[in-house]
């Protein structure tokens, strides 16, 4: 077994890593931490863990117990990830960070998006963006360094970004999309996305039976989407794509997140204007999506004409994706459905850890959503 | 009292008219009809009416009882509206039709959108599109004809169309929007929008805890939105706007409806590309919205930076609207929240009837959404 | 118009009084108070009030503005009601208290149930228990004192107690029930019952898709139910019932509240063991219920065999009630459905105020639940 | 691998068996059947199976493919189970029946409860009631017969019955309960309990935001609860308990099921009157519950004072149980929370199959509920 720790195990994403690990063939959780709830048993906080993790007690983040783990999943907020990672890496512990702190290759991009100075820029060279379906080669490279004994870091893609990338990348990568026109990402999220902290917005009686947008006009995850799209567009449209020293411009992205009354799920609807010279139809568009995800065990391009439904992936690390063409307006409408805590956070974190540790990428992630 | 009938009172929209009329100062429901459930009491179908309409029995649509009404609200599906209206109009009964049959000024537009021949095109000249905030002058004209003894028809705007119009019209009318670029309408609806008929999609266990899109790539309500936007754009951008003989082109509209787990509510998010010469900022944009709805008792432009929430208008004929500018991409993001059965159907129908009968437009519609 | 104030207008019950008064023919809200949110506009807190109460600003509870009101609805928690009432009564203001502070005729009973000393026992003689269907004579007497110029107090029944009383009283009063055997009240509540304060329990993601009990083994509202049932049993079974100096013993009541994922609604299921000599059948039992509520505009005994559904009374001051006999076990199973904030709080408070002010008891309360 | 078939795989319980088997170490689903949807792919019906069971096609129930399975899970309704079982058993196929047809040891009890003649009474001697925590010895005996080559049948306990048994059995078995006084089982179910067939009751807009009871006064599952309780009471209170030829009387049980707005979950609250001579307190009562489930991997007696929450077991084969004493009324209030399709149907079916096939009882059932 691989000894795992979870920092921030009382947050929704951390608790979901804990849940997944209960059925994982290799990762065994030995340490869980929380600064505000240290000393409590996890089952007192999440009753689903009664009878499962009955004696797992929360320690403070600073505990030395983490240093003896093989891997630590970091479910702490951004800014906390980069504060704790140096100590862990120094002790040889590989970090799977669910925060934003190690998602950006360049500290400047992080700093521009999150309005804070990066505390550990020297660690960025051993970190890779954790979105396996679109960044697998870099993760495999990281796995090789890990196999050679190096402590490495994965900066896992967040939930909105994952859904946005999965929906759009096949079209962007195929060169179907105009790189100069605005791309609209209109996403709807369940309420776990707002975190565990009780607030007026997360009160049952505010969220239930209502729909609302938030975070306008410029949500803080917009830059991550724009950078990812920009890189894919650049790879597709310009010859220097292979040159890592080139930093492609972010794409033109308008991102509007909405909140709907459900616990888990993100449905991202992405409007991609066709490139001037793109000659595609619904069938060829669909083939591009099928091909893009043909090798993935976790991401499925649905049959043509079938649209993703978040309920069909809830509680899992799976994603459903599809796209169609609006020929009148020369626009691709693409969608992805994920569980924001599954494929959008903890599930993808475990998938990245699986890759880094040389396991099957879907080890422990074979669960299927409740059909009803 | 004004004697009212409701055709199709067992559908969600018809039942909502019945509910509103229970508190209306003038409309008294004397006749309700349903072909499939004739003979039953309405309270057996909708238990909310126990103790309210205990002895109201459903008659078939063909009942002569309707002919003695002053007004009939027609909550039947499209195609049924135009079949029943002639008999009612001939008997001097004013019709407030909630179906699509009398929404279009030109039968050809109806036929193109709904793929069926119009059965009563001769009635179109006494019919007007029922969206009071943007078509008030025509409704006032209809009221004058009604006051002069004529039986008239209102073809009430549907739920998606109402939300789309309320969100976008102030920007379109102000000339802020590029008439040649695609406008995206991304809307989320509650499940009453799918109607009362039980189906796999409306089963609790399909709708609950899930999000999905439907009706792609070309939903049948898209033409209504495109025609309305097209007319407003034409009025704003071309000098011949006042000339009724000119039929403006439909706008470039991409419309994607989504389904979310709640009973009532539509949130429409509309992406409007700025006209090339438009020089606006968030404040001037907001002023245009405030001005557009300043005189309305039922539609409110929210304070700058406050976004509509469907829960805040659920169960009412009210609408909340707002807009902001994305200056980077020169795009207006506008939103409207309505109750699809309230302002989106029955509430707007009663509002139209109020206008036609010379009452205050919000008579019987003063109800406020449950704050929690 | 009657000038009304609302103390604690930001709590769910207070806000519901505000909502009801928006459509009330006589009560006009002139003052709203909140200590923690003084200075804010109510629409900033509850967006449903945008366009309705746009300029109503919260004042602190101690404001003198309340002293010029004709009536003050007190939506503050228990202990706060009895602290503020003396000042108001002294100023001649009638108080409709939604807290527990004036529900008990005897301070000792209050103190035993709520474990706190009563701060204004001298006011109890001008206070009456506010449950109109079962205590109308006393409310009428209070109305007479009010008409004679006295400032009076109504201690409105709470939500669980109202549902429990409405479900059981017809059977208890008819002498059908064994006064010596335990009566079980098993109730399910929506989450507004837990109040507006955000907490782990009221977080959307805790309440959604789950059922749980709470407050066992002895919930603080149990004594109110037991006292009410005890009085009715005593009136039915003992000749001294009319003698007000007799304090009947509380009934044997086991009360278990549950929480379910909805905003509003209480369904109380009450198990009443038959008296030894009771000779009833389903029909005679049902007749007793019909008779008990025949004159009420707001409480309806449903047809035999039709069971109450909280959705059919949500958002209203109505109640649906029914009962049936389990002949094998000689047990009556009775149920009532109410909206905990409607008939269970604000709606009943307005109903009581209507009675005290000599209005129709259902003035402003004619609203019907959304049928869908 | 053990080759499994699922009859009625399109019903909720059958589909849940299919879902569980996707992660089961031994059972591999080779055949799925449905008469009404034969020929379709299962993923077309339940989109959660896209990417999981992409090519699994439904065959009619009569297919010979079932005869080559090692085990068939029968998710068909009662009456269908006993029609199909003979053919399967004759072919040597062990049947795990989720219907009521093989739950009763005596055909007469089945016939009295379900008002239909038993079609295969000769199979009852090779069938056992499938509730492992309270009938393990009989299931082990069945496993021995199966190991010896016999095709056997498990008649799995239903959802309400499982929750009722798990909540009450420790108290009943300990002799704490008065066998002559009525026991009240008040249960709340999610809407999957009403089945997949669309109907007025299962429409989203009927179930959402509402609570209701149904099936009064005598629900068809009452006899199963009464027989189970009666047997346990008899074992606890009478010396002939070990004598299988004695048929103990059913207990006095009043059962009221309620429907609440969630997909999955049953919370059963059971009111058990203390036996006259029972001398217990909360601590000794709790110890009895802990002891009863100490060896179970799937049923957990929660810590004293912690009440079950269905969300904590949703999507799993787990159960949470607890009890407390109301000393004033000498009543035990016991509760169990299960997922009606998990521990209440498919999960328990797989648990029974595990036992019959000599596997760990929780093989493939280690999943944990989503903590949020």
């Amino acid at each position: 077994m691989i000894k795992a720790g979870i920092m921030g195990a009382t947050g929704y994403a951390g608790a979901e890593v804990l849940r997944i690990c209960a059925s994982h063939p290799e990762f065994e959780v030995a340490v869980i931490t929380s600064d505000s709830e240290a000393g409590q048993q996890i089952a007192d906080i999440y009753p689903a863990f009664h009878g499962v993790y009955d004696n797992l007690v929360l320690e403070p983040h600073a505990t030395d117990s983490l240093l003896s783990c093989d891997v630590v999943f970091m479910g702490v907020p951004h800014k906390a990830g980069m504060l704790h990672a140096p100590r862990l890496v120094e002790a040889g512990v590989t970090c799977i960070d669910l925060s934003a702190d190690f998602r950006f290759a360049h500290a400047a991009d992080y700093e521009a998006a999150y309005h804070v100075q990066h505390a550990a820029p020297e660690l960025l060279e051993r970190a890779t963006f954790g979105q396996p379906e679109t960044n697998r080669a870099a993760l495999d490279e990281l796995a090789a360094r890990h196999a050679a004994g190096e402590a490495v870091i994965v900066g896992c893609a967040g939930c909105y970004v994952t859904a946005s990338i999965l929906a759009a990348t096949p079209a962007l990568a195929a060169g179907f999309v105009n790189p100069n026109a605005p791309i609209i990402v209109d996403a709807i999220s369940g309420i776990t996305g707002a975190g565990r902290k009780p607030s007026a917005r997360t009160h049952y009686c505010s969220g239930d039976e209502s729909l609302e947008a938030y975070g306008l006009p410029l949500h803080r995850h917009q830059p991550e989407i724009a950078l990812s799209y920009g890189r894919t567009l650049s790879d597709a449209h310009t010859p220097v794509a292979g040159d890592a020293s080139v930093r492609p411009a972010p794409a033109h992205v308008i991102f509007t997140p909405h909140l709907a009354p459900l616990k888990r799920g993100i449905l991202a609807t992405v409007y991609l204007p066709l490139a001037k010279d793109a000659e595609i139809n619904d069938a060829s568009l669909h083939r591009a999506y099928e091909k893009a995800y043909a090798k993935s065990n976790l991401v499925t391009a649905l049959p043509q004409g079938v649209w993703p439904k978040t309920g069909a992936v809830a509680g899992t690390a799976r994603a459903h994706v599809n796209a169609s063409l609006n020929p009148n307006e020369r626009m691709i409408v693409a969608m992805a459905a994920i569980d924001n805590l599954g494929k959008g956070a903890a599930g993808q974190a475990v998938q990245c850890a699986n890759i880094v540790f040389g396991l099957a990428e879907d080890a422990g992630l074979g669960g299927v959503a409740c059909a009803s």
Side-chain angles (χ1 to χ4, degrees), chain A:
Chain A
M1 300 296 282
I2 297 163
K3 188 175 173 184
I6 303 175
M7 283 191 74
T10 59
Y12 283 155
E16 182 73 357
V17 174
L18 186 57
R19 183 176 89 89
I20 292 170
C21 287
S23 306
H24 195 281
E26 295 295 338
F27 297 133
E28 187 169 40
V29 177
V31 186
I32 57 175
T33 76
S34 163
D35 273 355
S36 58
E37 287 162 309
Q40 296 189 51
Q41 292 193 15
I42 192 69
D44 294 338
I45 295 170
Y46 289 111
F49 294 133
H50 281 298
V52 179
Y53 289 116
D54 277 323
N55 300 309
L56 207 50
V57 176
L58 290 156
E59 304 179 44
H61 293 332
T63 178
D64 281 350
S65 311
L66 287 175
L67 304 183
S68 65
C69 292
D70 300 307
V71 61
V72 168
F73 294 92
M74 305 178 73
V76 289
H78 79 280
K79 294 194 280 190
M82 60 192 177
L83 286 178
H84 291 286
R87 190 172 70 105
L88 295 169
V89 167
E90 195 178 350
V93 181
T94 280
C95 296
I96 310 294
D97 185 20
L98 285 80
S99 88
D101 292 357
F102 295 97
R103 289 175 191 161
F104 295 80
H106 303 277
D109 290 337
Y110 172 79
E111 292 168 356
Y114 285 86
H115 308 295
V116 62
Q117 199 181 345
H118 202 292
E122 72 284 0
L123 292 185
L124 290 177
E125 73 79 30
R126 67 169 84 199
T128 284
F129 182 56
Q131 207 303 298
E133 285 75 21
T134 56
N135 200 32
R136 181 59 187 261
L139 285 164
D140 284 340
E141 201 177 303
L142 208 69
R145 289 167 67 176
H146 176 260
E150 195 174 343
V152 296
I153 301 176
V154 178
C156 298
C159 54
Y160 279 122
V161 180
T162 296
S164 303
I165 287 175
L166 293 175
T169 298
L172 295 168
F176 297 162
V177 180
N178 181 346
N180 301 313
I183 296 169
I184 288 169
V185 178
D186 191 289
I188 317 170
S189 172
I191 298 179
T192 48
R196 179 180 160 234
K197 192 174 168 189
S199 69
R201 169 163 282 160
T202 62
H203 194 295
Y204 186 88
C205 302
S206 171
D208 187 41
E209 296 294 302
S210 197
L211 301 163
E212 62 184 305
Y214 66 98
L216 278 84
L218 198 63
H219 191 278
R220 73 177 185 198
H221 291 318
Q222 189 271 354
E224 293 163 67
I225 302 171
L227 280 172
S228 167
Y229 284 10
R231 178 167 297 277
T232 309
L233 282 169
S234 165
D235 288 354
H237 289 276
T238 71
V240 296
D243 183 352
S245 71
V246 175
R247 287 177 60 189
H252 296 272
V253 170
I254 297 172
F255 169 52
T256 313
H258 297 79
L259 212 57
L262 69 167
K263 288 204 283 193
R264 289 160 165 249
I266 284 184
L267 184 67
T269 303
V270 186
Y271 299 88
L272 301 144
L274 274 194
K276 291 228 170 66
D277 56 351
E279 291 297 339
I280 63 168
N281 56 31
D282 246 6
S284 58
L285 175 64
H286 188 257
R287 277 196 302 275
Y289 274 74
E290 282 192 318
K291 193 176 160 197
Y293 299 119
K295 291 184 187 157
S296 171
N297 288 319
L298 295 172
V299 181
T300 301
L302 297 181
Q304 204 175 335
V306 176
W307 291 97
K309 198 172 180 307
T310 63
V313 294
T316 78
R318 299 179 187 278
H320 285 179
V321 178
N322 218 341
S324 84
L325 183 67
N326 184 312
N328 297 343
E329 305 301 337
R330 289 187 59 78
M331 188 83 76
I332 294 168
V333 183
M335 288 186 210
I338 62 169
D339 180 327
N340 52 306
L341 295 178
K343 182 63 178 168
Q348 188 154 266
V350 171
Q351 184 185 7
C352 290
N354 286 338
I355 293 169
V356 166
F357 281 79
L359 310 174
E361 72 168 345
D362 61 347
L365 300 174
V368 179
C370 288
S372 55

